[in-house]
């Protein structure tokens, strides 16, 4: 029979997996409490960094429908549960790992898809969602401006052509 505290811990971790759109598994051996506190701050408001027990996390991941993390759940393990922009959290982890060699990104999951450590680092190289959306909006606006210019050019070109024909006819009519 399972102990109530372990059942509660599994339920809590499973809820975090269900409510997160991304989770990044790390090894933290050698980090001090102060360094882990700084790491939590660097992740921003949309991520929660939590030291977990591997066995309980495997059970919780299975309950949440995630099987891609089993290979990463060994040794000292902590998980960053991301509820907002995964790029921001990935950047925070990557930057912290550059400064502190003891933090090792093992892998993770994004919207149910397994990610390797290299894929998480590539995700960190992306611009934030807001920047990408603003670039997309700018591209749409530019295309609309180009289309408006083309549509305006057609009538004005027609008017100039008709004026040129009238002038030519008037010139020819006056020469006779």
């Amino acid at each position: 029979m399972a102990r109530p505290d372990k059942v509660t811990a599994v339920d809590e971790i499973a809820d975090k997996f269900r409510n997160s759109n991304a989770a990044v598994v790390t090894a933290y051996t050698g980090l001090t409490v102060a360094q882990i506190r700084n790491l939590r701050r660097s992740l921003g408001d949309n991520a929660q960094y939590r030291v977990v027990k591997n066995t309980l996390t495997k059970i919780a991941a299975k309950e949440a429908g995630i099987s891609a993390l089993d290979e990463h759940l060994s040794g000292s393990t902590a998980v960053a549960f991301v509820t907002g922009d995964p790029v921001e959290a990935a950047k925070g982890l990557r930057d912290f790992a550059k400064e502190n060699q003891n933090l090792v990104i093992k892998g993770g999951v994004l919207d149910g898809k397994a990610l390797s450590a290299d894929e998480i680092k590539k995700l960190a190289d992306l611009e934030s969602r807001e920047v990408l959306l603003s670039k997309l909006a700018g591209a749409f606006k530019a295309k609309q401006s180009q289309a408006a210019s083309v549509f305006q050019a057609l009538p004005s070109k027609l008017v100039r052509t008709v004026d040129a024909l009238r002038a030519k006819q008037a010139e020819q009519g006056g020469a006779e």
Side-chain angles (χ1 to χ4, degrees):
M1 188 162 137
R3 292 192 349 217
D5 57 333
K6 290 186 178 186
V7 171
T8 304
V10 168
D11 289 342
E12 188 178 318
I13 295 169
D15 285 342
K16 289 197 181 303
F17 277 122
R18 285 187 205 101
N19 297 329
S20 301
N21 54 352
V24 180
V25 179
T26 65
Y28 66 93
T29 302
L31 291 178
T32 65
V33 173
Q35 288 172 322
I36 291 175
R37 191 175 333 122
N38 290 337
L39 172 59
R40 286 181 172 132
R41 284 190 202 123
S42 71
L43 293 178
D45 295 333
N46 65 348
Q48 183 181 22
Y49 190 73
R50 180 167 176 190
V51 175
V52 294
K53 291 188 180 270
N54 293 323
T55 307
L56 299 180
T57 305
K58 284 179 187 179
I59 295 168
K62 284 182 182 147
E63 283 185 13
I66 299 169
S67 60
L69 297 179
D70 285 354
E71 65 187 77
H72 303 300
L73 295 173
S74 61
S76 63
T77 304
V79 180
F81 296 99
V82 184
T83 55
D85 185 13
V87 174
E88 181 184 341
K91 283 181 183 185
L93 287 167
R94 178 201 59 195
D95 295 344
F96 191 86
K98 282 181 183 176
E99 296 172 13
N100 300 284
Q101 300 300 320
N102 291 331
L103 180 74
V104 178
I105 299 172
K106 295 180 178 181
V109 64
L110 174 64
D111 293 327
K113 181 188 174 289
L115 296 176
S116 68
D118 289 335
E119 289 172 322
I120 292 170
K121 290 174 185 169
K122 287 178 186 175
L123 181 66
D125 293 336
L126 291 175
E127 293 174 328
S128 70
R129 183 176 189 270
E130 290 78 19
V131 171
L132 292 174
L133 288 174
S134 64
K135 284 185 176 183
L136 180 64
F140 282 142
K141 185 176 179 183
K143 292 296 178 188
Q144 288 175 341
S145 297
Q146 289 173 349
S149 298
V150 168
F151 293 137
Q152 278 183 332
L154 292 175
S156 64
K157 187 174 183 179
L158 178 66
V159 169
R160 286 193 303 269
T161 305
V162 170
D163 284 344
L165 283 173
R166 280 190 200 147
K168 190 173 184 179
Q169 285 177 348
E171 198 176 283
Q172 289 175 350
E176 291 176 20

